[in-house]
Amino acid sequence: MKPFHRQSGSLMSDQVRCSDLAEEFGTPLYVYNRRAIEQAWQEFATALQDSSHLICYAVKANSNLAILDTLARLGSGFDIVSLGELKRVLAAGGKPEKIVFSGVGKNTREMAAALEAGIRCFNVESVSELERLAEVASAHGVTAPVSLRINPDVDAQTHPYISTGLKENKFGINMGDALQAYRRAQELSSIDVQGIDCHIGSQLTTLEPYADAVALLVGMIDTLSAEGIHLSHIDVGGGQGIRYSADDESLDVQAWARCVQSAIGERDLQILVEPGRYIVGQAGILMTRVEYLKSNEDRHFAVVDAAMNDLIRPALYSAWQEIEEVETLEREARVYDVVGPICESADFLGKQRTLSIAENDLLCVRSSGAYAFVMSSNYNTRPRAAEVMVEGEKFFLVRSREETEALFAQEFLLP
Ligand SMILES: *Cc1c(COP(=O)(O)O)cnc(C)c1O
């Protein structure tokens, strides 16, 4: 069953009527479905069941503690990019030995904290970072488990802002410099060379970029092996795409797994994967209430109470997300631009959408589980939305709506 479906005209999540949640918790409101998160994670577990593997959920896609808790209970690992995310994962019951630490700018404090926690691996993105990590580990009297992130220079054919595997991107170590970097890592006594990784972009819906990238990584593994540098894992990153509109295809996880497995062949390597969007994207919606309907000549606007501070994807990536009525009611259908109250022309959730609505009706923005709440801000001194998790006939508040006064409680008047 889909995480959100219709029952006699009402949008439901499992057995819960979404409009009841809006009544109880107010809007804007994020609603997540626990079963959908678990099912998406299980798709990876099933697809990789014949290989030694570790699924490391990319925390930055949605870092709410309840989501991390849900995944930790399945035995998931985590891919983090900051000390804050490390603390969240540990607070949610995640196991340090299943955490990989990605990111192009890890600082000394973050390295020290991750070493202290005893994480599984640092995904190192430059030789400078490697040298720094070696110093920090040495100062703490430990060795740092390391994978080097390779930039395979493949075109992920996705939006330029979410493409990361091209030479022009800031991420990883160029293929041509990789061998030297591994030799250097091998020399450093406080570095334990364990793996190789890449992450070529986000919202990928075809297999070719993965096939190309994994083939390059496997070639490097063989080269290293011939030099006596033996790796025990290959981390193929995340990026598995989901279906935002009826024209999209989501990535076929089974086919993706077969493609990765066949490139690896008989080599004795554990497969790590870092999916973010695929795990949570379809498991969430953003609910919002229509404040005003207005028309400028022949353009109609639905001014809603959610804005770009709540969901920035349409403004930032020109992302298209489905918008629909929460309750099917007798209304005149019109084509609307769905816009927020913020003083920016980029403040829209969707343009030219046919909707049957009146003022005070509820709308929902689909596929809002990933890169949605986590990218929200307090722009215009707007409190961030509340978040709710649905499970069967039950639902739980998993983040309360921010209080306006708290937004400036850490600021000071001048003496
Ligand atoms: C963002 C990111 C991911 C997750 O990407 P998705 O597109 O959400 O699957 C995985 N690995 C790294 C290194 C990332 O930066």
Side-chain angles (χ1 to χ4, degrees):
M1 201 206 281
K2 293 192 170 144
F4 298 93
H5 64 279
R6 287 203 172 266
Q7 189 178 303
S8 38
S10 297
L11 186 71
M12 309 286 294
S13 186
D14 293 349
Q15 287 91 269
V16 176
R17 193 183 305 274
C18 293
S19 53
D20 290 347
L21 296 174
E23 286 304 327
E24 179 152 354
F25 300 107
T27 50
L29 179 71
Y30 277 98
V31 179
Y32 306 122
N33 182 287
R34 180 173 182 175
R35 192 173 39 79
I37 297 167
E38 292 174 339
Q39 280 175 1
W41 189 91
Q42 290 294 354
E43 278 186 50
F44 283 92
T46 305
L48 292 170
Q49 64 189 354
D50 295 333
S51 305
S52 165
H53 71 272
L54 180 63
I55 303 163
C56 295
Y57 167 67
V59 174
K60 75 178 193 283
N62 188 329
S63 56
N64 185 286
L65 289 191
I67 286 178
L68 303 180
D69 178 20
T70 296
L71 293 167
R73 290 186 206 207
L74 296 177
S76 187
F78 297 92
D79 171 37
I80 60 165
V81 292
S82 70
L83 178 52
E85 288 190 352
L86 174 63
K87 290 186 172 178
R88 276 181 180 273
V89 170
L90 297 177
K95 294 232 167 33
E97 65 271 20
K98 291 184 178 177
I99 296 174
V100 299
F101 195 164
S102 297
V104 71
K106 303 172 195 79
N107 64 38
T108 303
R109 242 182 87 224
E110 293 177 314
M111 289 173 174
L115 284 168
E116 210 152 287
I119 66 163
R120 163 73 193 264
C121 194
F122 289 84
N123 289 352
V124 169
E125 302 221 10
S126 65
V127 175
S128 312
E129 183 193 334
L130 182 68
E131 302 283 354
R132 170 97 67 97
L133 180 58
E135 279 170 30
V136 177
S138 170
H140 282 72
V142 294
T143 57
V146 157
S147 158
L148 296 187
R149 175 167 175 179
I150 304 304
N151 183 337
D153 195 25
V154 302
D155 187 356
Q157 286 161 358
T158 185
H159 189 281
Y161 287 7
I162 50 178
S163 172
T164 54
L166 285 171
K167 264 192 200 143
E168 68 204 52
N169 300 127
K170 68 181 176 184
F171 302 99
I173 298 168
N174 282 338
M175 203 64 198
D177 302 325
L179 187 54
Q180 272 309 109
Y182 271 103
R183 286 177 181 148
R184 179 64 188 142
Q186 190 78 343
E187 281 168 15
L188 294 163
S189 60
S190 57
I191 296 291
D192 178 15
V193 181
Q194 296 197 344
I196 190 164
D197 65 284
C198 71
H199 172 69
I200 52 180
S202 199
Q203 185 55 16
L204 275 62
T205 52
T206 58
L207 297 176
E208 289 75 33
Y210 286 107
D212 294 349
V214 177
L216 283 164
L217 260 53
V218 166
M220 179 54 60
I221 288 169
D222 291 345
T223 305
L224 291 168
S225 189
E227 291 226 353
I229 302 174
H230 300 291
L231 304 185
S232 55
H233 79 247
I234 175 169
D235 178 344
V236 295
Q240 293 80 6
I242 61 170
R243 188 171 199 175
Y244 283 100
S245 83
D247 306 333
D248 292 345
E249 285 294 334
S250 61
L251 190 87
D252 178 339
V253 171
Q254 285 284 350
W256 166 87
R258 281 195 299 272
C259 157
V260 170
Q261 285 164 329
S262 83
I264 293 170
E266 296 300 302
R267 294 172 187 82
D268 185 18
L269 294 162
Q270 186 177 36
I271 300 170
L272 271 60
V273 55
E274 305 166 349
R277 186 189 311 269
Y278 195 92
I279 305 285
V280 289
Q282 301 295 29
I285 58 169
L286 171 62
M287 296 183 69
T288 182
R289 201 173 280 283
V290 178
E291 292 282 356
Y292 302 105
L293 296 180
K294 61 181 272 185
S295 302
N296 290 346
E297 304 215 343
D298 51 5
R299 195 102 174 169
H300 304 299
F301 296 93
V303 183
V304 300
D305 67 0
M308 64 189 289
N309 76 296
D310 299 299
L311 181 67
I312 203 174
R313 297 187 67 259
L316 185 61
Y317 309 119
S318 310
W320 192 97
Q321 293 182 221
E322 181 84 45
I323 299 176
E324 63 188 71
E325 303 85 356
V326 171
E327 298 291 335
T328 313
L329 302 165
E330 282 292 317
R331 312 278 190 230
E332 188 192 340
R334 276 190 165 176
V335 177
Y336 291 98
D337 284 359
V338 180
V339 301
I342 287 181
C343 316
E344 300 270 354
S345 293
D347 182 26
F348 65 91
L349 299 178
K351 289 191 172 164
Q352 299 295 290
R353 305 302 178 87
T354 303
L355 295 164
S356 303
I357 45 175
E359 291 183 358
N360 212 37
D361 284 357
L362 289 165
L363 289 174
C364 93
V365 186
R366 292 283 201 135
S367 314
S368 297
Y371 305 106
F373 181 88
V374 281
M375 293 180 114
S376 63
S377 76
N378 296 120
Y379 189 39
N380 281 207
T381 308
R382 289 169 51 86
R384 280 182 293 173
E387 295 173 285
V388 171
M389 179 79 78
V390 169
E391 186 183 353
E393 59 192 19
K394 292 178 293 192
F395 54 86
F396 308 95
L397 181 67
V398 295
R399 190 180 209 273
S400 49
R401 187 175 306 285
E402 287 178 338
E403 299 284 347
T404 304
E405 288 67 26
L407 302 185
F408 51 84
Q410 286 162 285
E411 298 172 23
F412 304 99
L413 295 174
L414 294 172

PDB file of all heavy atoms in Angstrom, residues 44-72:
ATOM      1  N   PHE A  44      16.753  -2.047  -0.359  1.00  0.00           N
ATOM      2  CA  PHE A  44      18.212  -2.171  -0.472  1.00  0.00           C
ATOM      3  C   PHE A  44      18.703  -3.455   0.196  1.00  0.00           C
ATOM      4  O   PHE A  44      19.554  -4.163  -0.341  1.00  0.00           O
ATOM      5  CB  PHE A  44      18.912  -0.953   0.154  1.00  0.00           C
ATOM      6  CG  PHE A  44      18.863   0.268  -0.719  1.00  0.00           C
ATOM      7  CD1 PHE A  44      17.831   1.183  -0.592  1.00  0.00           C
ATOM      8  CD2 PHE A  44      19.828   0.476  -1.690  1.00  0.00           C
ATOM      9  CE1 PHE A  44      17.764   2.304  -1.407  1.00  0.00           C
ATOM     10  CE2 PHE A  44      19.778   1.586  -2.515  1.00  0.00           C
ATOM     11  CZ  PHE A  44      18.739   2.504  -2.378  1.00  0.00           C
ATOM     12  N   ALA A  45      18.144  -3.740   1.389  1.00  0.00           N
ATOM     13  CA  ALA A  45      18.572  -4.933   2.121  1.00  0.00           C
ATOM     14  C   ALA A  45      18.296  -6.191   1.297  1.00  0.00           C
ATOM     15  O   ALA A  45      19.126  -7.104   1.222  1.00  0.00           O
ATOM     16  CB  ALA A  45      17.854  -4.994   3.470  1.00  0.00           C
ATOM     17  N   THR A  46      17.140  -6.233   0.652  1.00  0.00           N
ATOM     18  CA  THR A  46      16.775  -7.389  -0.160  1.00  0.00           C
ATOM     19  C   THR A  46      17.654  -7.474  -1.403  1.00  0.00           C
ATOM     20  O   THR A  46      18.171  -8.541  -1.739  1.00  0.00           O
ATOM     21  CB  THR A  46      15.289  -7.300  -0.579  1.00  0.00           C
ATOM     22  OG1 THR A  46      14.516  -7.160   0.609  1.00  0.00           O
ATOM     23  CG2 THR A  46      14.848  -8.521  -1.349  1.00  0.00           C
ATOM     24  N   ALA A  47      17.840  -6.331  -2.059  1.00  0.00           N
ATOM     25  CA  ALA A  47      18.603  -6.323  -3.309  1.00  0.00           C
ATOM     26  C   ALA A  47      20.060  -6.736  -3.079  1.00  0.00           C
ATOM     27  O   ALA A  47      20.693  -7.313  -3.952  1.00  0.00           O
ATOM     28  CB  ALA A  47      18.539  -4.937  -3.954  1.00  0.00           C
ATOM     29  N   LEU A  48      20.578  -6.453  -1.879  1.00  0.00           N
ATOM     30  CA  LEU A  48      21.997  -6.740  -1.601  1.00  0.00           C
ATOM     31  C   LEU A  48      22.181  -7.974  -0.717  1.00  0.00           C
ATOM     32  O   LEU A  48      23.285  -8.222  -0.224  1.00  0.00           O
ATOM     33  CB  LEU A  48      22.648  -5.516  -0.942  1.00  0.00           C
ATOM     34  CG  LEU A  48      22.806  -4.280  -1.837  1.00  0.00           C
ATOM     35  CD1 LEU A  48      23.229  -3.064  -1.015  1.00  0.00           C
ATOM     36  CD2 LEU A  48      23.819  -4.522  -2.959  1.00  0.00           C
ATOM     37  N   GLN A  49      21.104  -8.735  -0.526  1.00  0.00           N
ATOM     38  CA  GLN A  49      21.182  -9.808   0.485  1.00  0.00           C
ATOM     39  C   GLN A  49      22.244 -10.872   0.184  1.00  0.00           C
ATOM     40  O   GLN A  49      22.742 -11.514   1.108  1.00  0.00           O
ATOM     41  CB  GLN A  49      19.810 -10.456   0.708  1.00  0.00           C
ATOM     42  CG  GLN A  49      19.250 -11.179  -0.498  1.00  0.00           C
ATOM     43  CD  GLN A  49      17.796 -11.594  -0.275  1.00  0.00           C
ATOM     44  OE1 GLN A  49      17.268 -11.433   0.817  1.00  0.00           O
ATOM     45  NE2 GLN A  49      17.164 -12.124  -1.307  1.00  0.00           N
ATOM     46  N   ASP A  50      22.588 -11.045  -1.086  1.00  0.00           N
ATOM     47  CA  ASP A  50      23.586 -12.059  -1.413  1.00  0.00           C
ATOM     48  C   ASP A  50      25.018 -11.557  -1.295  1.00  0.00           C
ATOM     49  O   ASP A  50      25.965 -12.312  -1.533  1.00  0.00           O
ATOM     50  CB  ASP A  50      23.348 -12.607  -2.833  1.00  0.00           C
ATOM     51  CG  ASP A  50      22.013 -13.350  -2.911  1.00  0.00           C
ATOM     52  OD1 ASP A  50      21.570 -13.871  -1.868  1.00  0.00           O
ATOM     53  OD2 ASP A  50      21.420 -13.375  -4.007  1.00  0.00           O
ATOM     54  N   SER A  51      25.177 -10.282  -0.966  1.00  0.00           N
ATOM     55  CA  SER A  51      26.530  -9.726  -0.801  1.00  0.00           C
ATOM     56  C   SER A  51      26.698  -9.259   0.632  1.00  0.00           C
ATOM     57  O   SER A  51      25.731  -8.840   1.272  1.00  0.00           O
ATOM     58  CB  SER A  51      26.719  -8.497  -1.703  1.00  0.00           C
ATOM     59  OG  SER A  51      26.434  -8.789  -3.046  1.00  0.00           O
ATOM     60  N   SER A  52      27.941  -9.292   1.110  1.00  0.00           N
ATOM     61  CA  SER A  52      28.227  -8.624   2.372  1.00  0.00           C
ATOM     62  C   SER A  52      28.006  -7.129   2.120  1.00  0.00           C
ATOM     63  O   SER A  52      28.525  -6.583   1.148  1.00  0.00           O
ATOM     64  CB  SER A  52      29.679  -8.906   2.761  1.00  0.00           C
ATOM     65  OG  SER A  52      30.076  -8.008   3.767  1.00  0.00           O
ATOM     66  N   HIS A  53      27.197  -6.492   2.945  1.00  0.00           N
ATOM     67  CA  HIS A  53      26.886  -5.092   2.654  1.00  0.00           C
ATOM     68  C   HIS A  53      26.550  -4.316   3.923  1.00  0.00           C
ATOM     69  O   HIS A  53      26.269  -4.909   4.973  1.00  0.00           O
ATOM     70  CB  HIS A  53      25.707  -4.997   1.669  1.00  0.00           C
ATOM     71  CG  HIS A  53      24.397  -5.392   2.276  1.00  0.00           C
ATOM     72  ND1 HIS A  53      23.930  -6.688   2.298  1.00  0.00           N
ATOM     73  CD2 HIS A  53      23.453  -4.662   2.907  1.00  0.00           C
ATOM     74  CE1 HIS A  53      22.763  -6.732   2.900  1.00  0.00           C
ATOM     75  NE2 HIS A  53      22.447  -5.514   3.295  1.00  0.00           N
ATOM     76  N   LEU A  54      26.589  -3.003   3.814  1.00  0.00           N
ATOM     77  CA  LEU A  54      26.135  -2.121   4.895  1.00  0.00           C
ATOM     78  C   LEU A  54      25.412  -0.942   4.259  1.00  0.00           C
ATOM     79  O   LEU A  54      25.974  -0.250   3.401  1.00  0.00           O
ATOM     80  CB  LEU A  54      27.331  -1.634   5.730  1.00  0.00           C
ATOM     81  CG  LEU A  54      26.987  -0.695   6.901  1.00  0.00           C
ATOM     82  CD1 LEU A  54      26.108  -1.388   7.942  1.00  0.00           C
ATOM     83  CD2 LEU A  54      28.272  -0.182   7.559  1.00  0.00           C
ATOM     84  N   ILE A  55      24.158  -0.741   4.668  1.00  0.00           N
ATOM     85  CA  ILE A  55      23.380   0.396   4.170  1.00  0.00           C
ATOM     86  C   ILE A  55      23.598   1.553   5.134  1.00  0.00           C
ATOM     87  O   ILE A  55      23.274   1.457   6.314  1.00  0.00           O
ATOM     88  CB  ILE A  55      21.871   0.043   4.103  1.00  0.00           C
ATOM     89  CG1 ILE A  55      21.649  -1.192   3.226  1.00  0.00           C
ATOM     90  CG2 ILE A  55      21.057   1.233   3.591  1.00  0.00           C
ATOM     91  CD1 ILE A  55      20.293  -1.856   3.434  1.00  0.00           C
ATOM     92  N   CYS A  56      24.190   2.626   4.631  1.00  0.00           N
ATOM     93  CA  CYS A  56      24.458   3.799   5.464  1.00  0.00           C
ATOM     94  C   CYS A  56      23.543   4.929   5.013  1.00  0.00           C
ATOM     95  O   CYS A  56      23.839   5.645   4.049  1.00  0.00           O
ATOM     96  CB  CYS A  56      25.919   4.220   5.354  1.00  0.00           C
ATOM     97  SG  CYS A  56      27.067   3.002   6.018  1.00  0.00           S
ATOM     98  N   TYR A  57      22.432   5.078   5.701  1.00  0.00           N
ATOM     99  CA  TYR A  57      21.457   6.128   5.363  1.00  0.00           C
ATOM    100  C   TYR A  57      22.132   7.504   5.433  1.00  0.00           C
ATOM    101  O   TYR A  57      22.779   7.837   6.433  1.00  0.00           O
ATOM    102  CB  TYR A  57      20.272   6.047   6.332  1.00  0.00           C
ATOM    103  CG  TYR A  57      19.372   7.257   6.283  1.00  0.00           C
ATOM    104  CD1 TYR A  57      18.611   7.529   5.153  1.00  0.00           C
ATOM    105  CD2 TYR A  57      19.293   8.139   7.363  1.00  0.00           C
ATOM    106  CE1 TYR A  57      17.796   8.659   5.104  1.00  0.00           C
ATOM    107  CE2 TYR A  57      18.477   9.256   7.324  1.00  0.00           C
ATOM    108  CZ  TYR A  57      17.739   9.513   6.186  1.00  0.00           C
ATOM    109  OH  TYR A  57      16.939  10.621   6.130  1.00  0.00           O
ATOM    110  N   ALA A  58      21.988   8.284   4.373  1.00  0.00           N
ATOM    111  CA  ALA A  58      22.585   9.628   4.329  1.00  0.00           C
ATOM    112  C   ALA A  58      21.722  10.572   5.168  1.00  0.00           C
ATOM    113  O   ALA A  58      20.662  11.030   4.739  1.00  0.00           O
ATOM    114  CB  ALA A  58      22.690  10.118   2.895  1.00  0.00           C
ATOM    115  N   VAL A  59      22.220  10.854   6.355  1.00  0.00           N
ATOM    116  CA  VAL A  59      21.447  11.579   7.375  1.00  0.00           C
ATOM    117  C   VAL A  59      20.985  12.946   6.890  1.00  0.00           C
ATOM    118  O   VAL A  59      19.929  13.433   7.263  1.00  0.00           O
ATOM    119  CB  VAL A  59      22.295  11.693   8.661  1.00  0.00           C
ATOM    120  CG1 VAL A  59      21.607  12.560   9.711  1.00  0.00           C
ATOM    121  CG2 VAL A  59      22.600  10.307   9.222  1.00  0.00           C
ATOM    122  N   LYS A  60      21.776  13.572   6.005  1.00  0.00           N
ATOM    123  CA  LYS A  60      21.427  14.936   5.612  1.00  0.00           C
ATOM    124  C   LYS A  60      20.098  15.024   4.854  1.00  0.00           C
ATOM    125  O   LYS A  60      19.499  16.089   4.799  1.00  0.00           O
ATOM    126  CB  LYS A  60      22.564  15.570   4.800  1.00  0.00           C
ATOM    127  CG  LYS A  60      22.697  15.076   3.369  1.00  0.00           C
ATOM    128  CD  LYS A  60      23.843  15.862   2.701  1.00  0.00           C
ATOM    129  CE  LYS A  60      23.866  15.701   1.199  1.00  0.00           C
ATOM    130  NZ  LYS A  60      24.435  14.381   0.784  1.00  0.00           N
ATOM    131  N   ALA A  61      19.601  13.915   4.334  1.00  0.00           N
ATOM    132  CA  ALA A  61      18.320  13.943   3.612  1.00  0.00           C
ATOM    133  C   ALA A  61      17.155  14.252   4.550  1.00  0.00           C
ATOM    134  O   ALA A  61      16.209  14.956   4.169  1.00  0.00           O
ATOM    135  CB  ALA A  61      18.078  12.613   2.906  1.00  0.00           C
ATOM    136  N   ASN A  62      17.220  13.724   5.758  1.00  0.00           N
ATOM    137  CA  ASN A  62      16.220  14.037   6.796  1.00  0.00           C
ATOM    138  C   ASN A  62      16.781  13.502   8.102  1.00  0.00           C
ATOM    139  O   ASN A  62      16.903  12.291   8.271  1.00  0.00           O
ATOM    140  CB  ASN A  62      14.867  13.400   6.492  1.00  0.00           C
ATOM    141  CG  ASN A  62      13.793  13.892   7.460  1.00  0.00           C
ATOM    142  OD1 ASN A  62      14.080  14.203   8.617  1.00  0.00           O
ATOM    143  ND2 ASN A  62      12.567  13.965   6.988  1.00  0.00           N
ATOM    144  N   SER A  63      17.107  14.405   9.006  1.00  0.00           N
ATOM    145  CA  SER A  63      17.842  13.989  10.198  1.00  0.00           C
ATOM    146  C   SER A  63      16.979  13.969  11.457  1.00  0.00           C
ATOM    147  O   SER A  63      17.507  13.908  12.562  1.00  0.00           O
ATOM    148  CB  SER A  63      19.063  14.890  10.392  1.00  0.00           C
ATOM    149  OG  SER A  63      18.675  16.247  10.450  1.00  0.00           O
ATOM    150  N   ASN A  64      15.658  14.008  11.297  1.00  0.00           N
ATOM    151  CA  ASN A  64      14.800  13.950  12.484  1.00  0.00           C
ATOM    152  C   ASN A  64      15.120  12.685  13.296  1.00  0.00           C
ATOM    153  O   ASN A  64      15.279  11.597  12.737  1.00  0.00           O
ATOM    154  CB  ASN A  64      13.324  13.950  12.071  1.00  0.00           C
ATOM    155  CG  ASN A  64      12.416  14.003  13.292  1.00  0.00           C
ATOM    156  OD1 ASN A  64      12.272  13.017  14.012  1.00  0.00           O
ATOM    157  ND2 ASN A  64      11.832  15.158  13.543  1.00  0.00           N
ATOM    158  N   LEU A  65      15.192  12.826  14.614  1.00  0.00           N
ATOM    159  CA  LEU A  65      15.574  11.699  15.478  1.00  0.00           C
ATOM    160  C   LEU A  65      14.662  10.492  15.290  1.00  0.00           C
ATOM    161  O   LEU A  65      15.125   9.352  15.355  1.00  0.00           O
ATOM    162  CB  LEU A  65      15.548  12.109  16.958  1.00  0.00           C
ATOM    163  CG  LEU A  65      16.617  13.070  17.476  1.00  0.00           C
ATOM    164  CD1 LEU A  65      16.563  13.119  18.996  1.00  0.00           C
ATOM    165  CD2 LEU A  65      18.016  12.700  17.005  1.00  0.00           C
ATOM    166  N   ALA A  66      13.386  10.728  15.045  1.00  0.00           N
ATOM    167  CA  ALA A  66      12.451   9.605  14.902  1.00  0.00           C
ATOM    168  C   ALA A  66      12.759   8.806  13.638  1.00  0.00           C
ATOM    169  O   ALA A  66      12.580   7.580  13.606  1.00  0.00           O
ATOM    170  CB  ALA A  66      11.017  10.114  14.869  1.00  0.00           C
ATOM    171  N   ILE A  67      13.231   9.485  12.613  1.00  0.00           N
ATOM    172  CA  ILE A  67      13.599   8.790  11.378  1.00  0.00           C
ATOM    173  C   ILE A  67      14.885   7.997  11.596  1.00  0.00           C
ATOM    174  O   ILE A  67      14.992   6.827  11.212  1.00  0.00           O
ATOM    175  CB  ILE A  67      13.702   9.798  10.219  1.00  0.00           C
ATOM    176  CG1 ILE A  67      12.273  10.209   9.835  1.00  0.00           C
ATOM    177  CG2 ILE A  67      14.474   9.218   9.025  1.00  0.00           C
ATOM    178  CD1 ILE A  67      12.143  11.217   8.760  1.00  0.00           C
ATOM    179  N   LEU A  68      15.844   8.625  12.275  1.00  0.00           N
ATOM    180  CA  LEU A  68      17.096   7.916  12.573  1.00  0.00           C
ATOM    181  C   LEU A  68      16.816   6.717  13.479  1.00  0.00           C
ATOM    182  O   LEU A  68      17.390   5.639  13.291  1.00  0.00           O
ATOM    183  CB  LEU A  68      18.101   8.872  13.233  1.00  0.00           C
ATOM    184  CG  LEU A  68      18.437  10.134  12.430  1.00  0.00           C
ATOM    185  CD1 LEU A  68      19.449  10.991  13.190  1.00  0.00           C
ATOM    186  CD2 LEU A  68      18.970   9.779  11.042  1.00  0.00           C
ATOM    187  N   ASP A  69      15.910   6.897  14.426  1.00  0.00           N
ATOM    188  CA  ASP A  69      15.512   5.824  15.341  1.00  0.00           C
ATOM    189  C   ASP A  69      14.899   4.660  14.552  1.00  0.00           C
ATOM    190  O   ASP A  69      15.272   3.485  14.732  1.00  0.00           O
ATOM    191  CB  ASP A  69      14.506   6.414  16.345  1.00  0.00           C
ATOM    192  CG  ASP A  69      13.975   5.395  17.327  1.00  0.00           C
ATOM    193  OD1 ASP A  69      14.608   4.346  17.511  1.00  0.00           O
ATOM    194  OD2 ASP A  69      12.907   5.652  17.920  1.00  0.00           O
ATOM    195  N   THR A  70      13.977   4.990  13.652  1.00  0.00           N
ATOM    196  CA  THR A  70      13.333   3.973  12.813  1.00  0.00           C
ATOM    197  C   THR A  70      14.389   3.139  12.079  1.00  0.00           C
ATOM    198  O   THR A  70      14.328   1.909  12.051  1.00  0.00           O
ATOM    199  CB  THR A  70      12.414   4.665  11.772  1.00  0.00           C
ATOM    200  OG1 THR A  70      11.368   5.337  12.476  1.00  0.00           O
ATOM    201  CG2 THR A  70      11.816   3.671  10.792  1.00  0.00           C
ATOM    202  N   LEU A  71      15.383   3.828  11.515  1.00  0.00           N
ATOM    203  CA  LEU A  71      16.395   3.135  10.721  1.00  0.00           C
ATOM    204  C   LEU A  71      17.388   2.384  11.615  1.00  0.00           C
ATOM    205  O   LEU A  71      17.801   1.265  11.279  1.00  0.00           O
ATOM    206  CB  LEU A  71      17.102   4.127   9.803  1.00  0.00           C
ATOM    207  CG  LEU A  71      16.169   4.703   8.723  1.00  0.00           C
ATOM    208  CD1 LEU A  71      16.805   5.901   8.033  1.00  0.00           C
ATOM    209  CD2 LEU A  71      15.816   3.635   7.695  1.00  0.00           C
ATOM    210  N   ALA A  72      17.745   2.981  12.740  1.00  0.00           N
ATOM    211  CA  ALA A  72      18.677   2.299  13.661  1.00  0.00           C
ATOM    212  C   ALA A  72      18.083   0.966  14.110  1.00  0.00           C
ATOM    213  O   ALA A  72      18.792  -0.037  14.224  1.00  0.00           O
ATOM    214  CB  ALA A  72      18.981   3.191  14.865  1.00  0.00           C
TER     215      ALA A  72
END
